Amino acid sequence: MISDSSAHIAVVIPAFRVEKYIASVVSSVPAFNQTIVAVDDGSPDSTGPMLDQLALEDQRLVMLHHGQNQGVGGATKSGYQEALRLGADVVVKLDGDGQMDADRIEALVAPLLSGRAEYAKGNRFRDRNFLRAMPLARRIGNLGLSFLIKMASGYWNVFDPSNGFTAISANTLRQLDFDRLEQGYLFETSMLVELYKLGARVEQVPM
């Protein structure tokens, strides 16, 4: 059980224009996660003020504000660095738009806590209902994109490489060159490329 673990688990939430969802996302983070680092990535809506208010109500929540939008990669990197500064052992990335199920964090971090992997990544393609609901053209496009990402990163066994629901060990995170990680939506791909160079073990977790 995660509740029996002494590991400091931090959740990083990159947030941009998510005022409709951010309160429910923060409240959905299970209690065993000791730290939540939310990064307001220069949102023009009320995402930032809402997070500031939420931080008054949830002592786990640490707020970072970007004066200008830096992209999901830039926001995540800021969150990662803050989580490391706060002494996290494992860092989870959870998007602020409510499309990821925070109840799956326990399954996501399990491979890291058991020592089986240094990086865990959600895999939506094990969910038959998810595949049935996806239009055929998008399914084909995702398969093509996945192949290209696998070829670029070297992780041929990762079936959902663009999935942003991830967990990484702090020891591995400290070894990454953050300057080589993409600022925008290629962030997840660049993570796999850099992790492959380190020889990091990656495990997929059905979502």
Side-chain angles (χ1 to χ4, degrees):
M1 291 291 292
I2 298 297
S3 58
D4 298 330
S5 172
S6 60
H8 179 170
I9 301 172
V11 176
V12 169
I13 305 176
F16 181 70
R17 289 182 174 173
V18 288
E19 61 182 6
K20 294 180 181 179
Y21 317 104
I22 195 61
S24 62
V25 169
V26 171
S27 66
S28 73
V29 176
F32 63 78
N33 298 275
Q34 298 178 31
T35 303
I36 304 171
V37 181
V39 184
D40 167 30
D41 194 25
S43 295
D45 61 5
S46 60
T47 295
M50 287 182 69
L51 283 167
D52 287 335
Q53 180 60 41
L54 290 169
L56 299 176
E57 303 165 6
D58 189 336
Q59 294 185 347
R60 301 177 298 167
L61 182 57
V62 177
M63 271 305 305
L64 300 178
H65 292 278
H66 285 171
Q68 293 183 333
N69 179 262
Q70 297 184 26
V72 63
T76 303
K77 287 190 283 184
S78 293
Y80 277 170
Q81 290 168 328
E82 181 66 9
L84 290 176
R85 190 187 71 79
L86 294 172
D89 298 307
V90 173
V91 186
V92 174
K93 175 177 172 286
L94 177 71
D95 287 348
D97 59 7
Q99 294 190 44
M100 297 171 178
D101 183 0
D103 286 339
R104 298 295 295 161
I105 290 176
E106 185 167 7
L108 194 66
V109 301
L112 281 67
L113 297 181
S114 69
R116 297 196 310 269
E118 288 76 48
Y119 191 63
K121 198 170 184 65
N123 179 9
R124 297 163 293 182
F125 293 100
R126 290 289 297 275
D127 186 336
R128 293 181 181 178
N129 291 328
F130 172 80
L131 288 174
R132 289 193 194 102
M134 183 184 291
L136 178 60
R138 187 179 169 196
R139 232 181 299 172
I140 294 171
N142 270 283
L143 287 172
L145 177 62
S146 295
F147 176 79
L148 291 173
I149 294 173
K150 289 177 184 183
M151 187 168 61
S153 68
Y155 284 109
W156 289 95
N157 63 324
V158 176
F159 287 93
D160 194 3
S162 61
N163 194 321
F165 196 10
T166 63
I168 187 169
S169 72
N171 289 336
T172 300
L173 192 55
R174 290 189 191 96
Q175 297 178 58
L176 292 175
D177 182 351
F178 279 38
D179 290 336
R180 296 186 64 85
L181 298 175
E182 292 289 334
Q183 293 286 100
Y185 286 102
L186 290 176
F187 173 74
E188 303 301 339
T189 306
S190 66
M191 280 288 292
L192 287 175
V193 170
E194 297 306 313
L195 287 167
Y196 187 75
K197 293 176 183 177
L198 296 177
R201 294 169 296 170
V202 176
E203 185 162 321
Q204 299 176 93
V205 178
M207 294 288 153

